[in-house]
Amino acid sequence: MDCIREEIKALSAYAVPPADGLVKLDAMENPYVLPDELRVAIAHRLSVLEVNRYPESNPEKLKSLLRQTMGIDPATAIVLGNGSDELIQMLALSVAKPGAVILGVEPAFVMFRMIATFVGLRFVGVPLKTDFSLDGPALLSAIEAHQPALVFLAYPNNPTGNHFDSAVMETVIRATPGLVVIDEAYFPFSKQSFLPRLPAYPNLLVMRTVSKFGLAGVRLGFLSGRANVLEHIDKVRLPYNISMLDQAVALEVLAHSEVLREQALRILQQRAVLAKQLAAIAGVVVYPSDANFLLFRIAKASRIFDGLRHRGILVKDLSAAHPLLTDCLRVTVGTFEENQRFLDALKDTIE
Ligand SMILES: *Cc1c(COP(=O)(O)O)cnc(C)c1O
């Protein structure tokens, strides 16, 4: 088809592998289900919805509940997205002048680069150092050379799991002529945030999502920052971007966010147990993580990945994703039982 743009033809679609019957440890999902009382309350809420009507376009109640749950000042503006993926797209659309550049680091969340391509913008990816920290001088010279309209940094970073040095991030924010978005998708597992720095930087935005918190099936994320920036981003938002069903489930569950917080604590405990057991396996190098997954290196990683899948365990094979990730796999922290099945399968594969 000649009408399809060449850069779209050249893309490979974001791969979501089939996971039927597998222990799913590939997508940073919370492994715990909701308690029965909460499920009943959700069912009741859904039963009384008038789905013949459009959803609320600007759901103020949901926004204030999100602010409350996430410790955001009631006066701070937020824009809701159908997951943070949609917010990334709205941001990219808003800055998509001919020749504009989106900048990020690599390896990082692949949607930053993909969405730049979707909207016809160039993505400049500055490599991380071998310890996955920011290369400050390289970032600053790339910002100088490309004058990016938009910079994305995930904090902590996916797939490496680490927090970047916040002082280096602040030099990036100061040097960038455009907007800098700090993607805090893993905030439930992290004690650090750029939210307190919002007042200091007019070009800073903080993005969050409920996905890793335990509501990946509800597509809901938000962007927080200066009202005079967000009012423009909000114009790019499609009018009914958060479905009535998503809104209802989020309202019910976030009103009981202590349930998700308690699950996040259990995930953190299991992360410590898993990291220790994984690191004890000969030939495995586990990287420190501030998120709900562990990145690890192991010889012949792709063969190990296949061996794990053959034994019913799905992780993420990153070994061909970036030169810094050679022989790297990423495992999401599951329940204690899931993690043991993963470790058993791994040992069995190695033998
Ligand atoms: C998982 C992830 C997201 C995805 O967010 P959704 O709200 O589910 O679209 C965004 N950013 C990073 C860095 C992630 O790892």
Side-chain angles (χ1 to χ4, degrees), residues 163-183:
H163 279 109
F164 297 132
D165 183 326
S166 61
V168 178
M169 289 168 72
E170 290 192 60
T171 64
V172 166
I173 296 167
R174 283 193 287 268
T176 300
L179 297 169
V180 177
V181 180
I182 308 302
D183 178 352

Side-chain angles (χ1 to χ4, degrees), residues 68-283:
Q68 215 179 306
T69 315
M70 310 249 177
I72 295 171
D73 190 287
T76 303
I78 64 175
V79 172
L80 300 185
N82 196 278
S84 29
D85 290 344
E86 191 191 36
L87 293 165
I88 299 167
Q89 188 179 52
M90 282 157 56
L91 286 158
L93 281 170
S94 303
V95 303
K97 296 180 195 174
V101 163
I102 299 183
L103 187 139
V105 294
E106 282 185 323
F109 187 45
V110 292
M111 292 313 289
F112 300 149
R113 178 184 277 281
M114 284 192 81
I115 288 173
T117 306
F118 295 171
V119 304
L121 293 184
R122 190 150 73 92
F123 182 87
V124 173
V126 179
L128 295 174
K129 296 203 276 193
T130 49
D131 63 355
F132 303 137
S133 66
L134 291 179
D135 186 339
L139 267 168
L140 292 179
S141 68
I143 289 167
E144 175 68 26
H146 301 289
Q147 297 289 303
L150 197 52
V151 172
F152 285 107
L153 290 173
Y155 187 75
N157 188 43
N158 171 18
T160 56
N162 56 315
H163 279 109
F164 297 132
D165 183 326
S166 61
V168 178
M169 289 168 72
E170 290 192 60
T171 64
V172 166
I173 296 167
R174 283 193 287 268
T176 300
L179 297 169
V180 177
V181 180
I182 308 302
D183 178 352
E184 298 188 342
Y186 297 95
F187 79 91
F189 315 103
S190 159
K191 290 187 177 60
Q192 298 170 55
S193 172
F194 268 71
L195 278 175
R197 293 183 184 81
L198 279 179
Y201 300 108
N203 63 333
L204 173 62
L205 298 170
V206 172
M207 186 167 70
R208 288 194 176 179
T209 170
V210 298
S211 294
K212 313 292 154 67
F213 203 19
L215 294 175
V218 171
R219 305 297 299 137
L220 182 65
F222 70 88
L223 205 55
S224 164
R226 295 267 167 114
N228 65 349
V229 176
L230 292 184
E231 69 180 342
H232 299 299
I233 311 294
D234 198 42
K235 294 176 210 165
V236 177
R237 187 174 61 84
L238 297 174
Y240 306 111
N241 65 326
I242 315 293
S243 93
M244 186 185 283
L245 306 170
D246 287 335
Q247 290 187 30
V249 177
L251 279 169
E252 187 62 44
V253 180
L254 293 181
H256 300 90
S257 59
E258 70 282 355
V259 171
L260 300 185
R261 267 185 247 283
E262 191 268 331
Q263 293 181 342
L265 275 180
R266 279 153 71 189
I267 292 169
L268 286 178
Q269 287 163 358
Q270 291 311 319
R271 183 183 76 195
V273 174
L274 177 60
K276 206 170 152 200
Q277 289 178 301
L278 190 53
I281 299 174

Side-chain angles (χ1 to χ4, degrees), residues 37-58:
E37 316 88 79
L38 206 42
R39 290 164 166 254
V40 170
I42 289 170
H44 176 71
R45 255 185 207 265
L46 294 183
S47 72
V48 296
L49 288 182
E50 296 183 0
V51 290
N52 51 316
R53 304 291 177 191
Y54 282 107
E56 250 189 272
S57 176
N58 188 22

